[in-house]
Amino acid sequence: MEHPWEKKFPVNAKDYKLYEDIGEGVSATVYRALCVPLNEIVAIKVLDLEKCNNDLDGIRQEVQTMNLISHPNLLKSLCSFTNGHNLWVVMPYMAGGSCMHIMKSAYPEGFDEPVIATLLYEVLKALAYLHENGHIHRDVKAGNILVDLNGAVRLADFGVSACMFDTGDRRRSRNTFVGTPCWMAPEVMQQLHGYDFKADVWSFGITALELAHGHAPFSKYPPIKVLLMTLQNAPPGLDYERDRRFSKSFKELVGTCLVKDPKKRPTSEKLMKHHFFKQARAVNYLARAILDGLSPLGDRFRTLKAKEAALLGQNKALYEDKEQQSQVRDFTLVIKKYSVMH
Amino acid sequence: MKGLFKSKSRTPADVVRQTRDLLISADRSPDPRDTKREEKMAELCRNIREMKSVLYGSSEAEPVPEACAQLTQEFFRENTLRLLISCLPKLNLEARKDATQVVANLQRQQVNSRLIASDYLEANFDLLDILVVGYDNTDMALHYGSMLRECIRHQSVARYVLESEHMKKFFDYIQLPNFDIAADAAATFKELLTRHKSTVAEFLNKNYDWFFADYNSKLLESSNYITRRQAIKLLGDILLDRSNSAVMIRYVSSIGNLRILMNLLRESSKSIQMEAFHVFKLFVANQNKPSDIVGVLVTNRSKLLRLFADFKTDKEDEQFEADKAQVVKEIAALEPQER
């Protein structure tokens, strides 16, 4: 039952022409590119394997997961191959870019509720599929929600996704520290009992707030502070003055995801039936509502990069990613000890 | 109508039996008069998923050991595994993934404290041949590859694959252009050569000549960066394993091998250099260096010492620094030998 019409993408760098960069990570850059023999625009993630010291196995699993998923709301890889010491992962090109980039360029205060409902519903379908198949995404956030020009929504970046079925054992929980602090569930931070699918549901709730405000809660604080606030404060919600524009059902949805006890959070499948999603519309609505009038992705990305570079110049210490990461690591050790003692 | 009344009354063994019947009918060449074919395929996929949820549990329920044992026993009582492997290409992607996870899980299920999967495979070794050459088929490679990796957890099965004619094919599979498949083959190859210590040692002793000739020329001297990088890392793992010490002594006494390692030391890739060092140090540490090896080391002494002078790890690594100091000391003290 292979689809005979499914195109075979060539596995040779010579068959692709790289254009401008449209995304950037620690060891990878994403380019818009042309697949010459098929005359099709694609996105290619170029990952420098020389910078990934010992984690070839993790990379293999990520690429295999991306290859073996088949869901309209997940970004799959079309093929992958090495070119010198780089790994090229060819993916469908999502011309709208990520929701985070769209917000930064045009909606700094966040989206309207029908847009949020539509986006989140599409993401939830992807999460329910992943969870049903034993995967935890581990990095749900607006930056990983990609939109195409027709409004199609795909959840991307399995950089840190893990498979619960990997080794034939159903490992209920994982014990690795991954994800971005602002979106991270308390049980992931504590690393005491491991965590499961429910960690994605927390991140999903944080993402809902991010789409509503234009940024994640606590995003202006350094990671250390974020960890502390997540663990010690009441869960964030939609209860400020500015949130009065949002409906009761939206507030309830956020409240039900952002419960500190993972057992009390609903599964992604159950969440799909939440009445908030009655507002979700067909995805072509997104094309009209948020993509109209945006400049091309490459230009937007360049502008944002320039802005960030300027900020970086102003306040270098705060934006030193590497340093923050190591601070986070040190700090989780402290938390671990702290939690053991109490 | 049968479908309507299922699940409640069906035991795990029933699910396996029904799966087997559906597999048998799927395995036959398509009969154009069979109007229910599609329906049956859908039913088959549902059954495979049900086996998976018995074995793995669901988001609501943990797996029940008795149910797992019952399912496993019925599965291996007849040729279900053979049918499943041969029908796999006919299933859709989700069912293939489910089937792969079922097969993976079954390798660990014990019935009366025996791994009956191992017994079954020992009587059906030819299935392993199908799984290995699965790497030739782009669409099936990841499924068959992942099943294979689970099967070689059994020592007898790993021994069969190591000694089979197909072992040679891994040298090509590792370099397939699709990264995901090549990397999968590399992971299986590594598992074969590291998991069962005594079997690996026996295999390497018996097959030393062709194995390391191919290993050197096809992998360590490959034009492909990732092949070289994985191969040098694995070589280090193999040679530094105590159970392979006889093989290690033999390997580090060959001047041809030394030349290859010295070339890898000069690579621009830091990670390859680093892994190459861990093998190179064995040549130097060898207390009974053949005179030709001493000769090469002496001839290249100044170059080597210069290389090691600015040879550093990114992070501090005491063990590495100690090894390096030792290697430098040994090389500096070498005297050309007269024979």
Side-chain angles (χ1 to χ4, degrees):
Chain A
M1 288 218 268
E2 264 312 295
H3 304 305
W5 60 86
E6 218 169 75
K7 288 175 225 158
K8 287 271 177 234
F9 282 80
V11 280
N12 193 328
K14 284 194 205 86
D15 288 323
Y16 298 87
K17 226 191 242 166
L18 295 187
Y19 298 137
E20 74 279 3
D21 52 337
I22 50 171
E24 222 170 25
V26 185
S27 51
T29 306
V30 184
Y31 297 91
R32 188 171 72 93
L34 175 70
C35 172
V36 180
L38 296 176
N39 192 27
E40 192 168 326
I41 294 291
V42 292
I44 299 182
K45 183 170 171 178
V46 177
L47 185 91
D48 186 349
L49 293 171
E50 202 47 30
K51 286 187 190 156
C52 312
N53 272 339
N54 290 314
D55 199 26
L56 287 181
D57 245 12
I59 294 167
R60 168 178 68 84
Q61 281 165 13
E62 174 193 350
V63 172
Q64 291 184 341
T65 308
M66 280 188 75
N67 185 297
L68 290 178
I69 46 169
S70 150
H71 189 278
N73 296 112
L74 286 169
L75 190 73
K76 74 171 268 148
S77 83
L78 301 166
C79 71
S80 57
F81 50 88
T82 55
N83 180 32
H85 55 78
N86 289 319
L87 172 65
W88 288 32
V89 182
V90 181
M91 302 170 288
Y93 177 64
M94 302 289 282
S98 82
C99 286
M100 181 192 70
H101 281 154
I102 296 172
M103 287 192 294
K104 279 194 180 171
S105 331
Y107 303 89
E109 309 282 301
F111 295 124
D112 289 337
E113 198 168 315
V115 169
I116 299 173
T118 309
L119 283 168
L120 286 180
Y121 192 61
E122 298 299 309
V123 172
L124 202 50
K125 286 193 264 181
L127 277 183
Y129 169 89
L130 283 176
H131 292 174
E132 192 191 345
N133 286 285
H135 295 284
I136 318 174
H137 185 283
R138 304 206 285 187
D139 207 11
V140 179
K141 55 180 183 182
N144 281 335
I145 303 173
L146 307 186
V147 184
D148 206 350
L149 284 188
N150 57 14
V153 177
R154 287 177 196 268
L155 184 59
D157 209 340
F158 295 72
V160 288
S161 86
C163 183
M164 302 268 271
F165 297 149
D166 260 351
T167 51
D169 281 329
R170 161 100 173 230
R171 277 181 297 175
R172 281 245 155 206
S173 51
R174 313 272 312 189
N175 263 311
T176 12
F177 189 77
V178 283
T180 321
C182 287
W183 290 262
M184 209 178 268
E187 73 272 19
V188 181
M189 296 178 174
Q190 287 178 325
Q191 296 189 298
L192 272 182
H193 312 290
Y195 59 95
D196 65 6
F197 308 104
K198 297 290 183 66
D200 280 346
V201 175
W202 175 279
S203 309
F204 180 81
I206 297 288
T207 305
L209 291 177
E210 185 185 11
L211 296 173
H213 295 147
H215 56 83
F218 314 146
S219 62
K220 56 174 183 277
Y221 298 104
I224 287 183
K225 194 110 205 272
V226 175
L227 287 167
L228 263 182
M229 292 170 89
T230 307
L231 290 172
Q232 296 179 329
N233 295 10
L238 286 172
D239 19 59
Y240 290 95
E241 191 57 29
R242 57 174 179 183
D243 296 325
R244 285 175 65 181
R245 65 184 176 114
F246 296 117
S247 71
K248 196 166 155 245
S249 70
F250 189 17
K251 288 169 191 170
E252 281 170 12
L253 173 91
V254 171
T256 184
C257 295
L258 297 180
V259 178
K260 285 195 179 177
D261 180 356
K263 289 194 211 79
K264 294 189 177 137
R265 279 174 230 149
T267 61
S268 47
E269 207 192 327
K270 203 161 169 201
L271 211 49
M272 286 179 70
K273 299 190 188 98
H274 197 280
H275 49 130
F276 170 66
F277 294 114
K278 292 214 175 84
Q279 304 177 60
R281 305 192 188 177
V283 291
N284 55 15
Y285 162 70
L286 292 176
R288 293 194 306 276
I290 61 174
L291 296 177
D292 251 9
L294 284 183
S295 50
L297 179 54
D299 297 350
R300 263 185 284 146
F301 183 66
R302 208 168 36 239
T303 315
L304 286 175
K305 244 183 12 185
K307 236 194 247 172
E308 262 162 36
L311 264 177
L312 191 76
Q314 279 172 24
N315 199 345
K316 203 153 192 267
L318 194 68
Y319 287 84
E320 277 291 352
D321 206 34
K322 244 191 187 162
E323 221 167 87
Q324 290 199 2
Q325 286 299 330
S326 70
Q327 282 182 345
V328 171
R329 217 168 299 127
D330 296 346
F331 192 70
T332 32
L333 289 175
V334 176
I335 292 180
K336 254 178 142 168
K337 281 186 193 140
Y338 176 88
S339 328
V340 169
M341 288 183 331
H342 290 78
Chain B
M1 286 308 278
K2 221 202 235 156
L4 279 178
F5 299 104
K6 61 165 193 211
S7 63
K8 283 243 166 66
S9 53
R10 285 203 313 170
T11 65
D14 291 337
V15 180
V16 176
R17 274 191 288 272
Q18 206 194 349
T19 306
R20 191 159 52 223
D21 291 343
L22 290 162
L23 282 169
I24 290 170
S25 103
D27 199 32
R28 279 192 221 114
S29 51
D31 178 353
R33 288 165 303 173
D34 189 354
T35 50
K36 287 194 182 152
R37 191 171 171 77
E38 242 170 74
E39 235 171 87
K40 282 189 192 161
M41 284 309 276
E43 183 77 28
L44 174 57
C45 295
R46 273 198 300 276
N47 271 282
I48 296 173
R49 176 144 291 205
E50 198 164 338
M51 290 200 287
K52 180 176 127 182
S53 66
V54 171
L55 293 169
Y56 287 94
S58 65
S59 56
E60 321 278 272
E62 292 284 337
V64 181
E66 296 77 40
C68 293
Q70 207 190 101
L71 189 149
T72 308
Q73 192 155 28
E74 183 59 33
F75 192 94
F76 289 113
R77 200 170 59 79
E78 281 181 55
N79 257 333
T80 326
L81 183 59
R82 178 177 300 275
L83 283 164
L84 192 58
I85 288 173
S86 85
C87 288
L88 205 65
K90 296 180 181 172
L91 304 177
N92 64 33
L93 177 66
E94 295 307 324
R96 285 179 194 172
K97 287 194 284 184
D98 289 342
T100 304
Q101 288 173 348
V102 165
V103 172
N105 186 292
L106 287 171
Q107 303 311 313
R108 297 145 196 257
Q109 292 289 346
Q110 300 199 352
V111 177
N112 304 325
S113 48
R114 274 193 73 80
L115 290 166
I116 59 172
S118 174
D119 300 341
Y120 175 84
L121 287 170
E122 280 171 31
N124 293 275
F125 274 141
D126 63 307
L127 289 179
L128 280 311
D129 302 339
I130 301 177
L131 295 181
V132 175
V133 298
Y135 281 120
D136 282 321
N137 179 341
T138 314
D139 293 324
M140 302 309 299
L142 294 185
H143 307 289
Y144 282 154
S146 142
M147 284 187 190
L148 175 63
R149 232 176 359 270
E150 292 299 327
C151 292
I152 58 176
R153 296 169 60 85
H154 310 300
Q155 188 155 11
S156 56
V157 176
R159 185 183 302 118
Y160 172 81
V161 177
L162 279 167
E163 286 169 359
S164 76
E165 264 311 292
H166 296 308
M167 192 59 195
K168 287 201 165 82
K169 294 194 171 151
F170 276 96
F171 294 89
D172 300 319
Y173 293 150
I174 289 172
Q175 309 201 54
L176 283 169
N178 279 296
F179 170 79
D180 45 352
I181 300 175
D184 197 271
T188 309
F189 188 67
K190 179 180 174 186
E191 188 78 359
L192 281 167
L193 290 165
T194 50
R195 186 171 184 101
H196 305 286
K197 309 282 180 213
S198 59
T199 303
V200 173
E202 192 191 327
F203 165 77
L204 290 175
N205 277 319
K206 248 199 272 177
N207 297 276
Y208 184 94
D209 291 325
W210 77 262
F211 182 83
F212 284 106
D214 277 14
Y215 202 99
N216 288 346
S217 66
K218 290 188 174 166
L219 304 184
L220 293 179
E221 295 184 306
S222 163
S223 58
N224 187 330
Y225 158 86
I226 193 74
T227 304
R228 290 196 308 280
R229 180 167 156 190
Q230 286 179 306
I232 185 62
K233 169 90 173 69
L234 177 59
L235 180 66
D237 291 347
I238 293 173
L239 297 183
L240 285 160
D241 196 304
R242 216 172 294 164
S243 58
N244 296 325
S245 53
V247 169
M248 187 270 282
I249 300 282
R250 202 164 155 193
Y251 192 89
V252 300
S253 303
S254 147
I255 183 139
N257 295 344
L258 176 63
R259 288 220 168 87
I260 290 171
L261 262 301
M262 285 175 50
N263 282 332
L264 290 171
L265 272 181
R266 288 170 29 204
E267 287 243 3
S268 60
S269 153
K270 196 96 194 142
S271 20
I272 291 180
Q273 270 194 329
M274 217 27 100
E275 294 301 337
F277 173 77
H278 288 301
V279 177
F280 175 79
K281 71 185 181 196
L282 299 171
F283 286 85
V284 180
N286 181 8
Q287 288 310 297
N288 303 307
K289 286 186 267 300
S291 56
D292 53 354
I293 293 222
V294 176
V296 168
L297 291 176
V298 168
T299 315
N300 293 282
R301 172 161 29 208
S302 54
K303 274 191 222 159
L304 286 166
L305 294 180
R306 234 178 300 137
L307 177 76
F308 291 133
D310 14 74
F311 206 49
K312 281 188 188 70
T313 46
D314 292 338
K315 276 179 249 151
E316 260 177 70
D317 183 343
E318 276 179 37
Q319 184 62 47
F320 168 77
E321 290 302 330
D323 285 354
K324 195 179 88 174
Q326 186 62 32
V327 165
V328 167
K329 202 174 123 200
E330 290 260 0
I331 293 178
L334 282 177
E335 300 283 343
Q337 290 178 334
E338 303 289 334
R339 280 265 161 115

